[in-house]
Amino acid sequence: MLEFEYARSALKNGLKLEQELGTNPYKFGMVGSTDSHTGLATAEEDNFFGKISASEPSPERLTATFVANPATGKKIMDWEVSSAGYAAVWATENTRASLWDAMQRRETYATTGPRMLVRFFGGWDFVAQDANSRLPAQTGYTKGVPMGGELRAAPQGKSPTFLVAALKDPLGANLDRYQIVKGWLTRDGKLEEKVYDVAWADAERRRPGGDGKLPPVGDTVDVASATWTNTVGAPELATVWTDPDFDPAQPAFYYGRGIEIPTPRWTAYDAKRFGTQPLPSTVMTITERAYTSPIWYTP
Amino acid sequence: MRLLKEPLLHFIALGGLLFAAHAALNPGGVRAGATPPAIHLTAADAEWLKQMWARQWRRPPTDEELRGLVADHLKEEVLSREARALELDVGDTVVRRRLAQKMTFLLDDTIRTAEPPEAELRALYETRPDLVRTPARVSFSQVFFRREQGDDRARTSLAALSNAAAHPEGHGDRLLLGDTFADQDEQALANLFGASFAQAVMALPADEGHGGGPSAAVTHR
């Protein structure tokens, strides 16, 4: 991973910089956006209107060049451009002030396009039953902090617990799994990271293999007709997870990542609608996902 | 006498008549059109330019910037006068739209100061409901049950909760969308639960506990 090009890397570096500077300059929340220079919010794969007006739907855009620099030989093809995502904000009401406040406290998450509902709470006292209550969010706010929040000074002998939940986009694809990504600073100043699978669809049959990895959820995508079916995956995932590798002396961050089952990418819809033959290396499917703002732990 | 028959004299006389007639028909005439009206840029104009600048840049313009602003303003004034003289504004859609917009603003401002009489408002309300109608909004809380486990638990809860003193705490299954909805219209509910559920909720009479219709969100698997 290019150290200075990714969000996760920045979050890790922030932990280290806090030791040196006394403050963490990379304590940011996550939002998604489209980067569309068309003035249109077209983040759906089946309605991607291009990032620029030159890439509006046409039979040519599947094989066209987006940008090419003859001096460096670097080239980006139109098919590599993504339809991108949305910013999701947990605000108490749909007013400008409330939305702003939510963004300031980082209670936001990013999606790559679909409108999943994602919850991520951290605290010291969550129990498994909390995930099954009528209103898990109410328990989340009462017993812990929401995404974007901070935990400090672990109580003696306790590890942080996380109440997580995700609901699929009502018009979209089922969910595959919910992961928590942890980054931490070891005692000898090294930055580490680990991805944990905390909840997944079809849990009866799917169990982590010998290598600790979950078997894939399944792929229902038919590229030729640009369709998928919700016959795999789950519409809702919710659980409480405790960090099994917690060290109260190590600063850390945790963020939630919800992943959908595979779905057709805009390239598949284009190929079907215009009958264009895609170039050999074109990516035709995508697994959409959501990233929550982190919760930071400071000893 | 021979002089009066000279063609040159007749020619001069006719010429003189033509000029006289022209002068009579064009008051002001060539003399007045020869000197174009002067363009005056006053201190007030300079002040206005400074304020427009400051609004955007959050600071007053420097002397050089102000000179540039004045030069631009003058150039604009000259060009627009010439354009108007050539009647370039006639038939221009953008100009037309802008003038119509200004007129609309003017009308809006004048209308706002006049409060229509109550009787007139009431008459409008009665005769043109289509102008004043807004979508119906509803507030409710719901207790949600998963259908896989049968409808019995739902029925039991409905009976228990029909007692006004009963509390919905402890009834129902997890629903991440929450249990309380305030001031939602049909479209907002359809976005969350599907069109048929939204329609059913809007049709319920207010202020009563009800066994809800099936939720489209649940059956959508």
Side-chain angles (χ1 to χ4, degrees):
Chain A
M1 180 194 282
L2 299 169
E3 187 187 354
F4 303 113
E5 305 277 336
Y6 289 89
R8 193 191 300 177
S9 192
L11 291 169
K12 281 159 66 180
N13 281 334
L15 297 177
K16 193 155 195 183
L17 289 167
E18 185 162 20
Q19 305 296 309
E20 297 163 27
L21 305 172
T23 187
N24 181 345
Y26 294 133
K27 221 163 180 176
F28 51 81
M30 307 276 205
V31 288
S33 281
T34 57
D35 192 21
S36 292
H37 298 251
T38 55
L40 303 170
T42 51
E44 289 86 18
E45 298 297 322
D46 67 352
N47 189 27
F48 177 49
F49 232 70
K51 291 265 201 266
I52 55 177
S53 53
S55 315
E56 283 178 2
S58 74
E60 290 78 39
R61 74 171 175 176
L62 203 49
T63 52
T65 307
F66 184 65
V67 69
N69 185 342
T72 59
K74 289 229 195 296
K75 203 173 179 190
I76 299 176
M77 304 302 291
D78 254 346
W79 70 257
E80 293 181 85
V81 170
S82 293
S83 74
Y86 286 129
V89 174
W90 283 112
T92 50
E93 51 182 23
N94 193 9
T95 62
R96 193 176 191 175
S98 185
L99 290 169
W100 197 96
D101 286 347
M103 287 190 230
Q104 192 188 34
R105 64 176 185 267
R106 299 177 295 243
E107 203 181 342
T108 64
Y109 60 96
T111 84
T112 56
R115 291 178 169 87
M116 315 95 147
L117 184 157
V118 183
R119 284 291 195 184
F120 184 63
F121 296 94
W124 305 106
D125 304 307
F126 289 118
V127 294
Q129 179 49 33
D130 292 335
N132 293 326
S133 70
R134 281 176 72 234
L135 297 172
Q138 206 166 62
T139 317
Y141 285 112
T142 317
K143 294 214 282 190
V145 297
M147 57 184 79
E150 298 166 69
L151 296 170
R152 295 181 192 281
Q156 188 72 2
K158 283 196 170 175
S159 297
T161 54
F162 295 90
L163 170 59
V164 307
L167 182 66
K168 64 173 261 218
D169 178 332
L171 300 173
N174 276 352
L175 302 169
D176 165 13
R177 65 185 75 186
Y178 195 115
Q179 299 173 318
I180 291 182
V181 179
K182 178 186 177 186
W184 70 97
L185 180 67
T186 64
R187 291 167 197 264
D188 36 329
K190 289 232 294 292
L191 290 167
E192 304 281 356
E193 65 178 55
K194 187 165 178 188
V195 179
Y196 298 89
D197 294 310
V198 307
W200 55 91
D202 205 10
E204 320 291 303
R205 289 191 308 121
R206 283 168 82 203
R207 287 168 203 283
D211 59 351
K213 298 236 184 245
L214 269 183
V217 66
D219 190 340
T220 63
V221 177
D222 178 350
V223 173
S225 61
T227 57
W228 89 96
T229 55
N230 278 332
T231 47
V232 296
E236 192 181 59
L237 297 169
T239 194
V240 171
W241 177 80
T242 308
D243 182 356
D245 307 313
F246 181 63
D247 181 337
Q250 293 174 345
F253 64 82
Y254 304 80
Y255 64 84
R257 186 166 75 172
I259 303 185
E260 281 188 357
I261 64 176
T263 44
R265 196 164 170 268
W266 69 265
T267 41
Y269 288 101
D270 260 32
K272 176 189 160 201
R273 285 169 183 162
F274 295 110
T276 319
Q277 187 68 5
L279 299 168
S281 48
T282 306
V283 176
M284 307 297 275
T285 64
I286 188 173
T287 47
E288 307 269 19
R289 52 203 59 205
Y291 304 84
T292 70
S293 295
I295 290 177
W296 284 267
Y297 167 71
T298 319
Chain B
M1 275 317 284
R2 293 259 314 261
L3 194 61
L4 283 170
K5 284 198 195 128
E6 272 293 314
L8 186 59
L9 185 67
H10 300 165
F11 187 76
I12 291 169
L14 280 168
L17 271 171
L18 276 171
F19 274 108
H22 179 84
L25 290 170
N26 289 297
V30 177
R31 250 320 126 108
T35 324
I39 296 174
H40 297 283
L41 287 183
T42 64
D45 290 317
E47 196 52 45
W48 179 80
L49 288 169
K50 269 198 235 168
Q51 279 177 16
M52 294 304 285
W53 174 276
R55 224 193 284 172
Q56 205 170 7
W57 292 96
R58 304 278 193 222
R59 61 163 176 85
T62 64
D63 282 339
E64 192 181 326
E65 283 164 347
L66 184 59
R67 270 198 293 279
L69 287 173
V70 170
D72 283 342
H73 186 76
L74 181 61
K75 184 170 162 189
E76 221 173 53
E77 183 66 32
V78 168
L79 287 173
S80 60
R81 285 195 190 195
E82 289 298 320
R84 266 198 298 270
L86 288 172
E87 294 188 340
L88 293 180
D89 52 343
V90 175
D92 185 318
T93 316
V94 175
V95 171
R96 211 173 94 102
R97 284 214 189 117
R98 178 58 180 163
L99 290 172
Q101 187 187 47
K102 289 180 88 167
M103 195 63 209
T104 312
F105 290 152
L106 192 66
L107 286 170
D108 280 347
D109 281 344
T110 14
I111 284 169
R112 235 180 273 283
T113 59
E115 187 67 36
E118 171 86 19
E120 205 174 301
L121 284 173
R122 203 156 277 283
L124 186 72
Y125 184 77
E126 304 294 333
T127 54
R128 294 297 305 277
D130 55 307
L131 288 179
V132 295
R133 195 176 290 143
T134 56
R137 288 175 181 273
V138 69
S139 301
F140 65 96
S141 63
Q142 88 175 328
V143 180
F144 168 78
F145 290 91
R146 295 182 178 278
R147 300 206 75 176
E148 291 96 14
Q149 290 145 41
D151 294 344
D152 292 340
R153 291 184 308 130
R155 271 189 261 274
T156 319
S157 281
L158 182 61
L161 290 171
S162 54
N163 174 3
H167 212 271
E169 279 295 318
H171 291 255
D173 299 324
R174 175 182 71 220
L175 183 63
L176 290 176
L177 295 169
D179 67 348
T180 308
F181 302 88
D183 276 344
Q184 302 292 306
D185 62 18
E186 190 169 339
Q187 184 58 55
L189 290 178
N191 289 344
L192 288 174
F193 296 110
S196 50
F197 180 85
Q199 240 173 7
V201 168
M202 299 308 285
L204 291 174
D207 264 343
E208 287 179 74
H210 264 265
S215 164
V218 175
T219 54
H220 242 224
R221 281 182 189 237

